[in-house]
Amino acid sequence: MTISLSRVLSLIVVAVAYVRAWSIPNGFWIVTLVCGPLLTLIWFPQQIDDLTFGAWYRGYQIDSHTPGIAIAAMGWLFLLLFALAVFLAHRPGIR
């Protein structure tokens, strides 16, 4: 397993979300439960494609591969939206 720039940046975004969520009640667990699956999308897109290829869904078989970059991009989109939500949820006057 290689450490790529995408993986390092994703860990930095999650670390910043942890720091920002520190003042939110149960913020640690919220960040953990949301970011865990999102990091999986970013770190292992090819393996996720291998798991879903050939699966049956509503009577149809998935018969084409999804590019790994598309899976990772979806993970990045949701990770950045979640980090933005954590930043917007922080209210400085309320504790």
Side-chain angles (χ1 to χ4, degrees), residues 32-47:
T32 301
L33 292 175
V34 172
C35 289
L38 296 178
L39 286 176
T40 305
L41 291 173
I42 294 169
W43 280 52
F44 307 108
Q46 194 60 42
Q47 289 84 350

Side-chain angles (χ1 to χ4, degrees), residues 26-85:
N26 294 324
F28 175 80
W29 293 109
I30 293 168
V31 171
T32 301
L33 292 175
V34 172
C35 289
L38 296 178
L39 286 176
T40 305
L41 291 173
I42 294 169
W43 280 52
F44 307 108
Q46 194 60 42
Q47 289 84 350
I48 291 173
D49 177 52
D50 291 340
L51 286 174
T52 58
F53 181 73
W56 289 85
Y57 179 71
R58 294 186 182 185
Y60 298 98
Q61 187 175 19
I62 299 172
D63 59 353
S64 62
H65 286 282
T66 304
I69 191 81
I71 295 171
M74 184 177 66
W76 267 109
L77 175 69
F78 288 132
L79 182 65
L80 292 175
L81 286 174
F82 176 72
L84 178 65

